[in-house]
Amino acid sequence: MNTVVVGAQWGDEGKGKVIDVLAEDADILIRYQGGNNAGHTVIVDDTEFIFHLVPSGLLHPGKVGLIGNGVVVDPEALLEETQRLRARGINVAEAVKLSDQAHLIFPYHKKLDVLEEAARTGRIGTTGRGIGPCYVDKVARCGIRVADLLNEEVFAAKLKQNLAEKNRWLSALYREQPFEFQPLFDQYRRYAKLLEPHVVHGARFLHAAIAQKKRLLFEGAQGTLLDIDHGTYPYVTSSNATAGGVCTGAGVPPTCIERIIGVAKAYTTRVGEGPFPTEFPPALMEQIRTKGREFGATTGRPRRCGWFDAVIVRHAVQVNGCDSIAVTKLDVLDDMPTIQVCIGYQLGGRRLDEFPSDMSALARCQPVYESLPGWQCETGEAERFEELPTAAQAYLKQLEHLVTVPICLISTGSKREQAFKVGRW
Ligand code: IMP
């Protein structure tokens, strides 16, 4: 079944774990947006593997991973990752495919990302990986794609033109040193030789796979609330992390998608700036951050933590068309005597059941909570829904009710075995 996995919160929902479970039944794994701002963690045999660009289901033998046209690719990061996969015995020459229409990240994108962030009055808290500036070039139609990199003449001309513009920008606006053409050209031509064996026309590659009845698994990066259109703009990333991004970012029609799974933690986290109505007070924040090891997989930054917000997850269910949700990190709530779930917001004298588009309004929203009893025992050993403590079952049933779709998978720990499917799969 062709499946999309999307984040239903602000990213870091544990998609890597869910994808790892689903990848068993898939043939081709596809990233369709974002870049190495993402960090999908998978733990196999007590060894942790963090994926940034390559689809994270690749740890299963015999799978093929495609980096789609909608992804922005830092070649250095990609090559470092393929190196690590090779060290694990994966035949990367066969397993990793790269769309020739994907846009490339250059050092000037990373430089601009950091400088622009520092110059902003309202910080976004970007990862500094050059993601936003690379997407800016894509939309401005001056970006450099993988296909350009493979053609020495075209690449030289495009790089010269970009450097002329970026260097003017860097020196006039930020008093920074310009980037030199030759070393950058040589470095990227070296990358071209290493990447070339992986390059395909992404959309055609997938259409051939669909014709052969191969099963596709699309791996969303970040989350719905970080989507450039449907998230908490401007505190978002620069791509469409939602399910709609699959069609544009991989070149497949909506009709080929058969199932959409949203992933949500049993509580909420976010990295970077922006309003977060259910954010914990400091002591609880510290407790959950420590227990949940809530530090960014890409930047190591501490994540902000808060109660489950049913308003934002319901929004995610709607805009993605989720058939079901996977709930991760249930075990992190094991010690809580009482658990709060946000069921709406209070804004001035008004009660809101929906998520406001005006961020200054969201920043003023007070969460309306429903309190549920905690279970205060360990859930990490459960292998079926019925083996969970009654209070945990009641909590999950209430989440299903609030977000309007059933739960299809529950994860109760970081290990591969600590996840089980629920209901009709
Ligand atoms: P950028 O994607 O680096 O431009 O960062 C924009 C915003 O998205 C920042 O708030 C980042 O912290 C956030 N962000 C980007 N990628 C991820 C991710 O994979 N998980 C969580 N937050 C992310």
Side-chain angles (χ1 to χ4, degrees):
M1 197 186 283
N2 296 335
T3 303
V4 180
V5 174
V6 283
Q9 294 162 325
W10 276 286
D12 306 319
E13 297 91 350
K15 295 181 292 295
K17 175 87 183 283
V18 176
I19 289 160
D20 188 51
V21 173
L22 287 163
E24 240 169 79
D25 300 324
D27 301 301
I28 303 184
L29 317 155
I30 306 113
R31 274 283 305 270
Y32 59 89
Q33 47 73 232
N36 62 323
N37 48 350
H40 294 167
T41 308
V42 181
I43 298 176
V44 185
D45 305 331
D46 290 328
T47 314
E48 188 175 76
F49 198 96
I50 302 176
F51 290 88
H52 297 289
L53 266 169
V54 170
S56 58
L58 271 194
L59 286 187
H60 290 268
K63 309 290 172 190
V64 174
L66 170 70
I67 298 170
N69 59 279
V71 178
V72 286
V73 178
D74 183 335
E76 192 179 351
L78 175 56
L79 290 166
E80 187 269 332
E81 207 162 304
T82 50
Q83 192 59 40
R84 279 193 292 130
L85 284 170
R86 202 173 282 120
R88 279 193 68 107
I90 291 172
N91 180 353
V92 283
E94 290 288 315
V96 178
K97 307 286 176 202
L98 170 64
S99 166
D100 63 357
Q101 294 170 316
H103 280 251
L104 294 167
I105 295 177
F106 285 84
Y108 50 78
H109 291 129
K110 293 188 248 186
K111 188 95 193 161
L112 284 167
D113 194 358
V114 174
L115 292 168
E116 285 167 1
E117 178 70 5
R120 267 185 200 113
T121 36
R123 301 249 164 111
I124 295 170
T126 70
T127 59
R129 301 291 193 267
I131 307 297
C134 185
Y135 278 117
V136 167
D137 281 0
K138 172 177 178 173
V139 176
R141 292 162 294 180
C142 63
I144 302 179
R145 306 199 294 181
V146 171
D148 303 322
L149 178 67
L150 300 186
N151 181 326
E152 191 166 338
E153 241 171 83
V154 171
F155 176 54
K158 289 203 174 193
L159 184 62
K160 268 192 192 128
Q161 201 179 355
N162 269 283
L163 281 181
E165 189 217 352
K166 263 65 176 187
N167 282 340
R168 268 211 309 275
W169 203 251
L170 283 168
S171 66
L173 215 55
Y174 299 109
R175 309 263 174 260
E176 285 284 333
Q177 289 299 312
F179 283 93
E180 278 179 55
F181 171 81
Q182 202 59 48
L184 206 50
F185 177 80
D186 294 342
Q187 182 188 7
Y188 272 67
R189 282 299 297 163
R190 280 197 297 277
Y191 294 151
K193 291 204 169 58
L194 296 168
L195 292 177
E196 195 162 14
H198 301 280
V199 176
V200 293
H201 186 284
R204 281 180 217 137
F205 177 79
L206 289 182
H207 284 269
I210 292 168
Q212 290 166 29
K213 304 263 183 285
K214 300 260 195 229
R215 298 156 303 171
L216 313 182
L217 176 58
F218 297 92
E219 301 186 5
Q222 290 84 46
T224 303
L225 278 300
L226 288 174
D227 181 282
I228 185 82
D229 286 286
H230 301 291
T232 44
Y233 189 91
Y235 305 101
V236 292
T237 190
S238 299
S239 65
N240 284 115
T242 45
V246 168
C247 300
T248 51
V252 295
T255 45
C256 93
I257 299 169
E258 296 166 294
R259 174 171 62 170
I260 301 169
I261 297 177
V263 185
K265 273 181 190 158
Y267 49 101
T268 313
T269 62
R270 94 170 282 185
V271 228
E273 306 303 318
F276 183 177
T278 65
E279 191 162 12
F280 289 139
L284 195 49
M285 174 90 79
E286 201 47 47
Q287 186 183 337
I288 296 290
R289 184 182 284 154
T290 308
K291 172 118 200 221
R293 296 200 292 143
E294 294 295 357
F295 296 89
T298 300
T299 57
R301 288 181 291 176
R303 296 179 185 140
R304 299 158 67 193
C305 307
W307 294 116
F308 188 91
D309 185 341
V311 179
I312 66 160
V313 178
R314 196 161 53 227
H315 165 77
V317 165
Q318 280 176 354
V319 296
N320 292 296
C322 296
D323 302 292
S324 58
I325 58 165
V327 176
T328 61
K329 297 187 113 168
L330 183 70
D331 56 301
V332 176
L333 299 181
D334 282 353
D335 304 327
M336 295 287 127
T338 308
I339 297 174
Q340 315 270 26
V341 184
C342 171
I343 54 168
Y345 304 134
Q346 197 68 36
L347 180 61
R350 278 186 307 141
R351 163 74 189 258
L352 302 181
D353 297 320
E354 313 265 334
F355 169 77
S357 301
D358 169 6
M359 282 310 104
S360 71
L362 184 62
R364 283 180 284 115
C365 280
Q366 292 300 319
V368 177
Y369 286 123
E370 187 175 291
S371 293
L372 286 100
W375 42 94
Q376 296 191 284
C377 59
E378 288 192 6
T379 52
E381 301 285 299
E383 291 177 359
R384 291 184 307 124
F385 186 77
E386 294 71 25
E387 286 175 22
L388 288 171
T390 319
Q393 292 186 23
Y395 177 62
L396 294 166
K397 285 275 168 216
Q398 185 58 3
L399 297 192
E400 283 187 330
H401 170 71
L402 291 169
V403 307
T404 73
V405 287
I407 292 172
C408 61
L409 186 129
I410 296 166
S411 160
T412 58
S414 53
K415 295 197 176 128
R416 202 176 228 180
E417 332 55 274
Q418 289 175 307
F420 54 87
K421 296 171 184 173
V422 184
R424 199 161 48 84
W425 181 250

